[in-house]
Amino acid sequence: TIKRHNHLANERIERLVYVSCNPTGSLVKDASMLCGPPTKKYPGRPFRITRSQPVDMFPLTSHCEMIMTFDRMPMDEYLKYHESP
């Protein structure tokens, strides 16, 4: 689970690769936080999901891991959706 820290607001971070052992739990929560709109607590441009890949590391179980790539939303796209009218 990611706890939102000030370092994630650092816009020099352009890409995150997230490896989840709990795709239906913590990944859902963290993805919504990373891709959500800016807030007072996290004023930086959001990320967007650019790739995901399930990985079956334990084939004899119903468990599956997920690798997901998050890329920072480009500034032009961010401004398109977040400019004041």
Side-chain angles (χ1 to χ4, degrees), residues 11 51-52 57 60 79 81:
E11 298 210 7
R51 187 168 188 180
S52 62
M57 294 179 67
L60 300 178
L79 293 174
Y81 294 107

Side-chain angles (χ1 to χ4, degrees), residues 3-22:
K3 293 184 180 178
R4 189 159 283 193
H5 294 286
N6 290 338
H7 63 272
L8 287 177
N10 181 343
E11 298 210 7
R12 292 184 301 176
I13 299 172
E14 290 290 328
R15 176 171 285 166
L16 295 173
V17 177
Y18 187 111
V19 179
S20 177
C21 296
N22 187 5

